[in-house]
């Protein structure tokens, strides 16, 4: 639908749904939030959800189901083997993507595990436009290497480039020439790119990259977890696609790839995942991994009730009115913050609004995790849980030194169909207050550092008493009950 016009004020994004079920939120006083942050080791992943006012950690598994999705759960065929629910889900995905071979899994990283286990050998290279933490970890765990070949412009945080997730075709050609096609396990394109601000990739770029791969006999793989946002951007930003429906664009994209996988925690508004395999022989080669690691072939570790909900959710993902709200709310948040000269990633992408922590707290050195520090500060000064997407999310180099991230961001995710405009305005207000007091924020250091995916369960401590001083200043401005 077109943007809804207002006659007495500037347009704002509109929720294209009405609320039928609510969940109470709690805003703890700032002094209590400080205690909770200390108990969580200054890692927002370790906070209890009951202690959070606005949970903007992720869009994964926290999206709101529709009334029709919840109703569909009553239809579930709760059979261990041969569930009719599975066949309905398989048929719906074939209707949308044109691929009839489905391997179900409990979530996206389970799909990545199975794909990497089957295709990645020691010394292999996987080409990506940009990595996601788990997608890279599964490759490197097996002795492979990831080559991130996003266009240089994609890493410029403030720009007007509409498709910052596009892969650099010249870099792809050079990589194939250097490594040899036989040593490249697959080309993985992420639509859109999670770690550089939910930025989309264009259909034109996907087609050119997959054509290049196919010329060299390299398998093509689409990570469709964030596809719904990417579909919105292709339709609204890519001139040749403006007159096509979301279903038409989806099928055109699907036809480019040998294999498609997704986290239904994002794509489909539910919880689960799946791999669609075009080649039937390859499909049968991969079946054993489902029964070994996930469950039986017709549920793959998923609840059949969730699967029934997803069948409806996949249809809703093809509805332009449904998928437009998230990007519009994110764009509003980014536009307001940018107008205040707060360093954010522009243009607004999918998934969430992204703050450039390297500029926001430029006085904190990378080894003291500026994005992690800013994420902690946002919880202290507003009860907002965001996610660090920077150096803390990387793994150390073999010599123990820090691998400094190319971008240092704080992600404020917008779970789909969850937050209202007034809640978005609250976030904008608290980020502005924090920006005005940014010099008070200090760094962090590890006290417990896991070797792999340390950002999930690692514990940190502040390098000084900056959290106490920041909270005291916050209380001075907002009072003890805020």
């Amino acid at each position: 639908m077109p943007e809804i016009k207002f006659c007495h004020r500037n347009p704002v994004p509109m929720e294209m749904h009405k609320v039928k079920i609510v969940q109470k939120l709690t805003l703890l006083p700032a002094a209590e939030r400080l205690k909770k942050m200390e108990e969580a080791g200054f890692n927002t992943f370790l906070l209890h959800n009951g202690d959070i006012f606005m949970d903007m950690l992720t869009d994964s598994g926290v999206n709101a189901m529709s009334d029709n999705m919840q109703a569909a759960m009553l239809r579930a065929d709760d059979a261990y083997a041969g569930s009719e629910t599975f066949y309905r889900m398989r048929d719906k995905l074939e209707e949308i993507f044109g691929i009839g071979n489905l391997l179900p899994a409990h979530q996206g990283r389970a799909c990545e595990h199975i794909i990497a286990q089957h295709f990645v050998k020691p010394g292999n290279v996987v080409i990506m436009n940009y990595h996601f933490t788990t997608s890279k970890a599964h490759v490197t765990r097996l002795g492979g290497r990831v080559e991130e070949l996003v266009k240089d412009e994609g890493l410029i945080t403030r720009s007007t480039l509409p498709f910052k997730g596009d892969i650099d075709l010249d870099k792809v050609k050079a990589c194939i020439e250097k490594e040899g096609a036989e040593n490249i396990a697959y080309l993985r394109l992420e639509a859109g790119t999670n770690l550089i601000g939910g930025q989309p990739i264009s259909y034109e770029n996907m087609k050119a990259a997959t054509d290049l791969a196919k010329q060299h006999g390299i398998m093509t793989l689409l990570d469709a977890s964030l596809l719904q946002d990417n579909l919105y951007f292709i339709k609204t930003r890519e001139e040749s696609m403006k007159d096509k429906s979301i279903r038409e664009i989806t099928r055109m994209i699907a036809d480019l790839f040998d294999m498609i996988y997704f986290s239904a925690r994002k794509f489909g508004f539910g919880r689960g995942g799946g791999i669609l395999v075009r080649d039937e022989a390859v499909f049968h080669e991969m079946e054993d991994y489902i029964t070994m690691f996930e469950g039986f072939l017709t549920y793959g570790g998923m609840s059949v009730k969730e699967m029934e909900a997803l069948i409806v959710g996949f249809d809703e993902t093809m509805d332009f009115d449904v998928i437009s709200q998230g990007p519009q709310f994110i764009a509003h948040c980014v536009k307001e913050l940018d107008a205040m000269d707060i360093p954010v990633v522009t243009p607004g992408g999918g998934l969430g609004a992204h703050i450039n922590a390297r500029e926001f707290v430029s006085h904190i050195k990378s080894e003291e995790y500026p994005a992690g520090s800013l994420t902690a500060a946002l919880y202290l000064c507003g009860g907002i849980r965001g996610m660090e997407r920077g150096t803390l999310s990387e793994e150390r180099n073999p010599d123990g030194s820090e691998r400094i991230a190319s971008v240092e961001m704080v992600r404020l995710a917008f779970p789909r169909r969850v937050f209202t405009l007034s809640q978005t305005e609250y976030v904008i207000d608290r980020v502005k207050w924090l920006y005005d007091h940014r010099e008070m924020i200090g760094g962090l250091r590890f006290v417990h550092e896991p070797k792999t995916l340390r950002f999930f369960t690692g514990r940190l401590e502040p390098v000084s008493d900056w959290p106490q001083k920041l909270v005291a200043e916050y209380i001075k401005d907002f009072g003890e009950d805020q």
Side-chain angles (χ1 to χ4, degrees), residues 17-61:
H17 62 263
K18 61 183 179 181
V19 176
K20 298 181 73 173
I21 298 176
V22 297
Q23 183 178 23
K24 189 177 185 297
L25 296 176
T26 302
L27 178 59
L28 295 178
E32 289 189 39
R33 295 199 296 268
L34 176 58
K35 292 178 184 177
K36 298 299 182 182
M37 192 82 267
E38 290 170 343
E39 291 170 2
F42 285 81
N43 182 347
T44 56
F45 274 98
L46 302 181
L47 288 167
H48 291 207
N49 193 52
D51 300 327
I52 294 162
F53 182 52
M54 287 191 63
D55 191 1
M56 307 182 81
L57 182 82
T58 182
D59 64 334
S60 180

Side-chain angles (χ1 to χ4, degrees), residues 158 337 340-344 355-357 359-363 374 377-378 381 428-441 470:
R158 269 182 163 155
L337 292 173
M340 299 172 184
D341 292 325
I342 295 169
V344 287
I355 301 171
N356 182 351
E359 290 185 25
F360 196 111
V361 284
S362 57
H363 57 283
L374 180 53
L378 271 168
C381 302
I428 293 166
D429 181 84
R430 291 307 189 261
V431 172
K432 176 63 167 69
W433 185 90
L434 201 53
Y435 187 65
D436 292 341
H437 297 80
R438 60 192 180 276
E439 293 298 330
M440 299 185 71
I441 305 171
L470 183 66

Side-chain angles (χ1 to χ4, degrees), residues 55-186:
D55 191 1
M56 307 182 81
L57 182 82
T58 182
D59 64 334
S60 180
V62 292
N63 301 296
M65 284 189 181
S66 68
D67 53 352
N68 289 327
M69 290 179 70
Q70 292 188 41
M73 296 173 81
L74 297 175
R75 188 189 184 196
D77 178 10
D78 201 7
Y80 184 94
S83 168
E84 294 299 334
T85 292
F86 167 79
Y87 295 110
R88 286 192 284 269
M89 180 173 167
R90 183 198 64 184
D91 292 348
K92 178 57 65 177
L93 288 167
E94 183 175 15
E95 173 192 316
I96 292 171
F97 291 105
I99 301 175
N101 299 314
L102 168 64
L103 298 171
H106 76 276
Q107 67 181 82
R109 74 191 51 168
C111 300
E112 292 172 335
H113 166 229
I114 290 165
I115 292 167
Q117 194 75 34
H118 189 67
F119 292 103
V120 177
K121 305 293 185 292
N124 279 176
V125 170
V126 173
I127 296 175
M128 302 183 183
N129 50 342
Y130 207 76
H131 82 284
F132 183 60
T133 47
T134 56
S135 59
K136 183 176 181 178
H138 283 299
V139 171
T140 57
R141 180 182 67 85
L142 295 167
R145 189 176 84 252
V146 167
E147 288 290 337
E148 296 174 311
L149 304 181
V150 70
K151 288 185 177 180
D152 293 342
E153 299 95 318
L155 300 180
I156 299 171
T157 54
R158 269 182 163 155
S159 75
T160 58
L161 192 68
F163 292 103
K164 293 164 77 170
D166 280 0
I167 197 166
D168 189 312
L169 299 174
D170 290 333
K171 290 180 182 178
V172 174
K173 292 175 186 175
C175 184
I176 294 172
E177 184 174 337
K178 177 184 175 183
E179 299 293 336
E182 67 283 352
N183 194 45
I184 297 172
Y186 47 84

Side-chain angles (χ1 to χ4, degrees), residues 284-298:
H284 289 304
E285 289 172 7
M286 298 174 69
E287 285 179 321
D288 288 350
Y289 294 107
I290 302 299
T291 51
M292 185 181 298
F293 297 121
E294 291 294 299
F296 194 66
L297 287 171
T298 53

